[in-house]
Amino acid sequence: MSQTDQNKAEERRTEVQYEQRIVSEKRQQNRGIGWNGKTLREQLAVLEDKTEATGNYAGLSKLSLKADDPIRYEQLYSRLRADLVSAREISKEVSATPIVEQEGELCYGLFTPEGDSIAVSTGIIVHVHTMSEAIKFMINHDYEESPGIEPGDIFVNNDPHVGDVHPCDLMTLIPIFQEGELVAWAGGVNHVIDTGAVGPGSMNVSQASRFGDGAYYTARKVGEDFELYNSWRKEYPAKTRTPNFLKLDERTRITGCLMIRDSVKELIARTGVETFKQLSREAIEDGRRGFRSRIKRTMLPGTYRGASFVDALYEGQKNVTRDYADENHIMHAPSELHIRGDGSFQVSFEGANKWGWHPFNCTPAAIQGGIWVMLTQTVIPNELVNDGAYYACDFHLPVGSWANTQNTETAHAYAWHFLVSAWAPLWQHLSRGYYARGFWEEINAGNANTSNWLQGGGIDQFDKLHAVNSFEAACEGVGARYVEDGEPHAAAIWNPEGDMGDAEAWERVEPLPFLGRAVKPNTGGAGRRAGGAGFESMRTVRDVSRWLLYEMGNGYMTSDGGLFGGYPAASGYILNAQDTDLKERFENGEDYPQHDLDPESGGFESKIDGDVTRRPEGISTPKEFTDYDMYLNYLRGGSGLGDPLERDPEDVLSDIHDGYVLPRHAEDAYGVVVEKVEVGAKHNSAVQGEWELDEDATERLRERRMGERAEKAQPVSEWYDEQRDRIRAEENLIDDVKKTYGSSMRMSEQFARFFREFWDLPDDFNFDLSEQAQRSLDNRFDSGCRPMWDNATRKQKTWLDIDEEPYVPYTWTAERSIRDLHGPESTFSGRERATDDD
C-alpha cells in the first residue's frame, strides 16, 4: 500500500471511530440512526406515508433545489453519477476475473437511508433496484437492532428472495454516516464465476431446488471498521471452486463502495448535509416525473398485450438432481402493459404458469432488475436512472408463478433464461406505442435471448480445481430498428455495454483453446430491417481432468418474435464432439472444424471423427469432457422488423458478403436470387466467392411469392374456427403444451375464463393431461408458499396480496384488446409537444 493509500485508510479509520462514538451515544439515548433521531423503520414508514398520500416521492410537490438553482442541481447530480462511474472504472482493474475486467459485469449505486437508489453507474444496470430491496429487507427486519448498522460495517447479499436476480450476483453494501446519522448507502454488485453449486460455474442448470444453487448469503453482516471478519474470509472462499477470483471480486466491490463513500463525504463537506439530503430526495422525484413525462410523450394510453414462451427440456437428461425434475418445461409469459392517463404504467403477468423444479424461477427483485435494464435502453436512455421509475410503475406478478415463486425451496441460478424471454413482448409493446406517436427511431423489435452460456469446470491446466463461465454471451444480436438493421453481436439486454472479451483473456483462465470465432449467418431475424446476427466460438479442451461442460439457452422455441411482419431470430441447438481424432489431425496438419457456420452442410462432421452430438435443444446438464473434445458456443441473433420481401435486394447481397446471410437463405427468406461470379474471393468465414444480384429473377420470384401468399391466405374467422376445433379436440397438442396451459388456467381464474371465452370453450373445459403431467402439477401446487419476507414494504405488499393490487384499467377479458383506447383522440390529457430530449 502506498503512503497516500495508508494516509487515506488512517483518515477513514479516524472518521469511523468518531461516527461510532456518536452512534453509541444516540443509542444510549434511545435514538435511532435515521434523520432527527428516528429509527430506520420509522423513517421508512414516514416516507411511505408521504409518498402514498401525495403521489410524489417523499411528498415532494416542488423540486425546490432544482427550481431555485437548476444549474447547480444538475452539477451536483452529475458529480454524484460521475463519481459512481469513476468508482466502477477504477475498481474493476482490481479484479482479475475476465467477467469483470473484460465484460464490465459490475455496477455501483448510491441509495437513500431507506434504500431507494439515487444514482447508478454504468455497467450491469440490472441492479438499479435489486440492492434497494436488500437494504429495505434489512430495515424491515430490524437490522438496526441486531446485528446492528454501524459506521464501517460491510454487508453482503446474494439471495434473490431478498434482493438479487440470481445467486451469482453478489452485492456489497456499506452504510454512509454523517454526524451519527445514516445519510446514504453505497452498493456494488458483480457476477461471480462460481457459487459452489452442485455443478461448476455460476449458473448451474441441473439442480431442482435452492439447495443445489450454491451458497446463499441473506443480507449478512460480514465486517466492521471496513475490515472483513476472519470467519467470513475463511467461509466465503472455501465454499466455491474459485476462491482467489471471489476474493478479488470482493476487493473490487469494497474498493468501489469506499470510493463512493469518500465522494459523498466530500460533497457533504462542500455543500452541507441538508443540501445532500434534499438532492437525494429530489433526484428520485425528478426521475419519477421524467419517466412519466416521457411515457406521456411517446406512448398512447391503453392496454398492450402479448405473450412469449421458452423451453427448458429435462426429460431423459442425465445428472438431474431429483427424479421428479425429469420433465420438460415451457415458460408461459402472458404480458400486459397498461399505460394510464397520468403516464404511469403497470406490467401484469396474470396467467403466468407455475414455478417448476428447475433453476429458471424468478423473484420480484429479479423481474424488476430485468425491466430496469430494459427500460434504460428504451424509455429512460439517459443519466437519470434511479428508483424514480420504480415509483412510477406497478407490477402484478402472480404469487406462486415462475415470476414470483414465494417459495424458498425454488432454484434461481439461471433466472435470466425465463426473465429475458418474458420481457420480449415488452419491447414490442413500447415499439407499437412509439409507432403510434411517431417516434420511429425508438422502435426496436427486441434484443436476443442471451444464450448460449458456456459453463463448467473441473481440474484445470494448472492442476487446480476451477470453474468457467464464458461471458462471450455479453455480445448477442440486437433487434432490428424501424430505421435501420440491428447491430450484430453488439450487446446483451442485461449489459448494454456488451463486450465478448478477448480470446486470449479467456484462454488464460479457461483450459478451452479457441479453434475459431466468427459471425454466425442466418441467426438474425429476417425482415425489411434485419435483426443483428449472433456469432459462435469453437472451443476444444486441453490438459484437464474431471472436466464438466454444459449448454444453456433456448432450443426448439425462440421467444423473440419479429415485429411488423419481421421474423424471429434463429433458435438454438447443441453441437459438441467427444473422443475425437483432433490431436492426430493437429499432428498430421490435416483440416479440422473451426466453425459450424452452415449446420446443414455437414462440414463439421466431414472434418472430425468422434462421437458427435447435434441436437435441437438448448439446455444440457453437465457431462464430462476430456482432452481434444470439442464444444460449440453459439450466441443468438436479434429479431427482424417488417416484411422480408420488402428488403432492398442490394442490402441482402451485402449481407451475404458480410457473412450474415447464406446465399440459399437469401432466396428462401428474402426472395432474392444471387449468382456466384467469382470463386476465389472470400469476404468472410461463411461464404466462399463473389456473388452478384439477378434483379430480373428476384423481381419474378418476389411476385410469385406474393401470389402464393394470396392463395394461402384465409379470413381470420376461418383460421379461428380451425384452431378452436383443434383445441376442443386436443388435436396435435403435445403433453408439454397442454401442461403449460393447464398450469396457467389452474393458477388464474381470470386467465382460465379469458382462455375459455376467447376460444368459445365450455365453462368446465380443461386439458386432458397424462398421469405424469398431472402428478407434476399436483406436486408443485401442493407445495404452498414459504416467503422470505416477514415484514414487507408497501410496494411489496402488491407482490404478496393480489387484493391490494393497484387499480388496473383493463385486464384479462375477452372483450378488451389493444384497439380499445380511451376515446377518439386516443391520447393523454394536456398534450405536450415532444422535445429534442425525447
Side-chain angles (χ1 to χ4, degrees), residues 485 527-530 643-649 651 655 670 702:
D485 296 339
R528 178 177 61 84
R529 301 292 186 185
D643 188 343
L645 295 185
E646 295 179 359
R647 185 164 178 80
D648 188 332
D651 289 340
D655 290 341
Y670 291 103
R702 286 186 164 185

Side-chain angles (χ1 to χ4, degrees), residues 484-781:
E484 60 186 5
D485 296 339
E487 291 293 328
H489 46 82
I493 184 175
W494 36 265
N495 192 340
E497 298 177 328
D499 188 330
M500 65 184 68
D502 298 329
E504 295 81 4
W506 292 121
E507 288 180 332
R508 285 200 301 267
V509 296
E510 298 174 351
L512 305 170
F514 284 77
L515 300 180
R517 206 185 211 187
V519 171
K520 186 81 168 173
N522 293 5
T523 53
R528 178 177 61 84
R529 301 292 186 185
F535 76 104
E536 66 171 30
S537 293
M538 187 70 72
R539 312 288 293 270
T540 188
V541 181
R542 189 72 179 94
D543 294 332
V544 300
S545 61
R546 290 172 26 211
W547 194 260
L548 302 175
L549 289 174
Y550 48 101
E551 289 90 0
M552 297 163 54
N554 59 327
Y556 288 93
M557 294 182 172
T558 176
S559 60
D560 309 299
L563 184 64
F564 300 158
Y567 281 50
S571 58
Y573 70 99
I574 290 171
L575 173 64
N576 47 59
Q578 298 175 279
D579 298 325
T580 73
D581 63 343
L582 187 61
K583 180 181 179 182
E584 290 77 15
R585 289 176 178 269
F586 286 164
E587 293 171 347
N588 298 331
E590 299 175 16
D591 282 348
Y592 58 88
Q594 295 175 275
H595 307 290
D596 189 49
L597 301 178
D598 184 355
E600 297 179 29
S601 69
F604 178 87
E605 287 82 355
S606 69
K607 295 180 181 179
I608 198 74
D609 287 331
D611 182 9
V612 177
T613 299
R614 186 186 287 275
R615 303 202 325 262
E617 294 96 31
I619 290 171
S620 70
T621 51
K623 58 182 178 181
E624 191 164 355
F625 282 66
T626 189
D627 283 358
Y628 300 104
D629 288 350
M630 301 175 69
Y631 179 108
L632 179 72
N633 195 27
Y634 154 39
L635 296 314
R636 313 297 194 251
S639 49
L641 182 147
D643 188 343
L645 295 185
E646 295 179 359
R647 185 164 178 80
D648 188 332
E650 292 289 348
D651 289 340
V652 177
L653 183 63
S654 296
D655 290 341
I656 292 172
H657 288 147
D658 290 339
Y660 302 142
V661 171
L662 296 173
R664 70 170 187 277
H665 187 65
E667 186 169 334
D668 293 341
Y670 291 103
V672 172
V673 181
V674 294
E675 296 178 355
K676 185 182 288 189
V677 295
E678 207 278 299
V679 177
K682 190 169 187 178
H683 291 263
N684 57 73
S685 302
V687 178
Q688 179 76 38
E690 186 81 26
W691 297 78
E692 190 175 84
L693 176 67
D694 187 331
E695 295 183 3
D696 292 338
T698 295
E699 185 176 354
R700 291 194 300 271
L701 176 59
R702 286 186 164 185
E703 288 179 358
R704 187 169 73 250
R705 290 274 176 86
M706 295 298 288
E708 291 170 353
R709 285 183 180 180
E711 291 178 4
K712 293 179 180 178
Q714 64 178 147
V716 172
S717 58
E718 292 181 9
W719 172 89
Y720 171 87
D721 289 341
E722 292 174 0
Q723 296 303 312
R724 180 196 57 206
D725 294 342
R726 177 188 174 204
I727 293 171
R728 282 178 170 175
E730 299 189 32
E731 180 183 343
N732 296 325
L733 294 177
I734 63 173
D735 212 36
D736 296 331
V737 170
K738 293 194 290 183
K739 182 175 66 173
T740 298
Y741 277 101
S743 176
S744 289
M745 294 170 73
R746 187 167 171 179
M747 278 288 301
S748 170
E749 292 183 8
Q750 287 175 283
F751 178 80
R753 186 167 58 250
F754 161 78
F755 188 86
R756 291 172 182 135
E757 289 176 357
F758 183 88
W759 291 111
D760 192 21
L761 301 171
D763 291 341
D764 60 349
F765 175 86
N766 283 295
F767 287 103
D768 185 19
L769 301 180
S770 68
E771 182 179 347
Q772 179 182 359
Q774 190 65 54
R775 185 168 59 248
S776 166
L777 285 188
D778 291 343
N779 180 289
R780 281 177 273 158
F781 275 91

Side-chain angles (χ1 to χ4, degrees), residues 324-629:
Y324 54 75
D326 181 13
E327 62 173 322
N328 295 332
H329 306 274
I330 298 176
M331 177 215 73
H332 178 209
S335 169
E336 285 192 343
L337 171 61
H338 307 286
I339 302 292
R340 301 173 184 171
D342 63 356
S344 62
F345 73 23
Q346 181 186 59
V347 177
S348 173
F349 280 164
E350 182 68 32
N353 54 329
K354 189 71 173 174
W355 59 261
W357 301 112
H358 53 68
F360 313 119
N361 300 293
C362 292
T363 63
I367 294 288
Q368 291 183 346
I371 192 173
W372 294 142
V373 74
M374 187 265 180
L375 290 177
T376 56
Q377 299 171 65
T378 52
V379 179
I380 41 176
N382 52 50
E383 292 187 353
L384 197 61
V385 177
N386 58 31
D387 265 335
Y390 170 73
Y391 283 93
C393 303
D394 291 306
F395 298 91
H396 173 44
L397 309 175
V399 173
S401 69
W402 63 262
N404 184 10
T405 68
Q406 290 301 325
N407 188 326
T408 53
E409 187 179 359
T410 50
H412 301 269
Y414 185 32
W416 280 110
H417 183 53
F418 278 13
L419 181 58
V420 174
S421 302
W423 286 127
L426 189 56
W427 291 95
Q428 301 190 359
H429 298 338
L430 293 170
S431 290
R432 291 186 175 105
Y434 294 153
Y435 182 83
R437 292 297 297 269
F439 290 90
W440 293 1
E441 295 85 356
E442 306 295 328
I443 293 171
N444 185 330
N447 285 5
N449 185 320
T450 45
S451 48
N452 178 45
W453 291 90
L454 184 161
Q455 290 195 101
I459 307 300
D460 67 9
Q461 68 269 41
F462 305 111
D463 294 326
K464 292 183 178 180
L465 183 62
H466 191 47
V468 300
N469 182 4
S470 174
F471 259 68
E472 290 185 298
C475 277
E476 312 277 345
V478 177
R481 296 174 59 193
Y482 195 82
V483 295
E484 60 186 5
D485 296 339
E487 291 293 328
H489 46 82
I493 184 175
W494 36 265
N495 192 340
E497 298 177 328
D499 188 330
M500 65 184 68
D502 298 329
E504 295 81 4
W506 292 121
E507 288 180 332
R508 285 200 301 267
V509 296
E510 298 174 351
L512 305 170
F514 284 77
L515 300 180
R517 206 185 211 187
V519 171
K520 186 81 168 173
N522 293 5
T523 53
R528 178 177 61 84
R529 301 292 186 185
F535 76 104
E536 66 171 30
S537 293
M538 187 70 72
R539 312 288 293 270
T540 188
V541 181
R542 189 72 179 94
D543 294 332
V544 300
S545 61
R546 290 172 26 211
W547 194 260
L548 302 175
L549 289 174
Y550 48 101
E551 289 90 0
M552 297 163 54
N554 59 327
Y556 288 93
M557 294 182 172
T558 176
S559 60
D560 309 299
L563 184 64
F564 300 158
Y567 281 50
S571 58
Y573 70 99
I574 290 171
L575 173 64
N576 47 59
Q578 298 175 279
D579 298 325
T580 73
D581 63 343
L582 187 61
K583 180 181 179 182
E584 290 77 15
R585 289 176 178 269
F586 286 164
E587 293 171 347
N588 298 331
E590 299 175 16
D591 282 348
Y592 58 88
Q594 295 175 275
H595 307 290
D596 189 49
L597 301 178
D598 184 355
E600 297 179 29
S601 69
F604 178 87
E605 287 82 355
S606 69
K607 295 180 181 179
I608 198 74
D609 287 331
D611 182 9
V612 177
T613 299
R614 186 186 287 275
R615 303 202 325 262
E617 294 96 31
I619 290 171
S620 70
T621 51
K623 58 182 178 181
E624 191 164 355
F625 282 66
T626 189
D627 283 358
Y628 300 104
D629 288 350

Side-chain angles (χ1 to χ4, degrees), residues 208-221:
S209 73
R210 170 194 181 104
F211 309 110
D213 270 353
Y216 274 81
Y217 306 105
T218 303
R220 182 183 297 189
K221 187 174 182 175

Side-chain angles (χ1 to χ4, degrees), residues 44-95:
L44 176 58
V46 170
L47 180 135
E48 289 180 328
D49 288 342
K50 289 182 177 180
T51 302
E52 186 173 289
T54 65
N56 301 318
Y57 180 72
L60 290 176
S61 59
K62 179 183 178 182
L63 304 181
S64 57
L65 185 63
K66 183 176 182 178
D68 294 343
D69 194 344
I71 294 178
R72 181 168 180 254
Y73 169 85
E74 295 294 343
Q75 288 176 331
L76 292 175
Y77 185 82
S78 296
R79 175 60 187 273
L80 275 180
R81 187 170 186 276
D83 288 342
L84 288 165
V85 174
S86 295
R88 175 178 178 269
E89 294 304 313
I90 293 172
S91 67
K92 75 179 185 180
E93 300 304 322
V94 174
S95 177

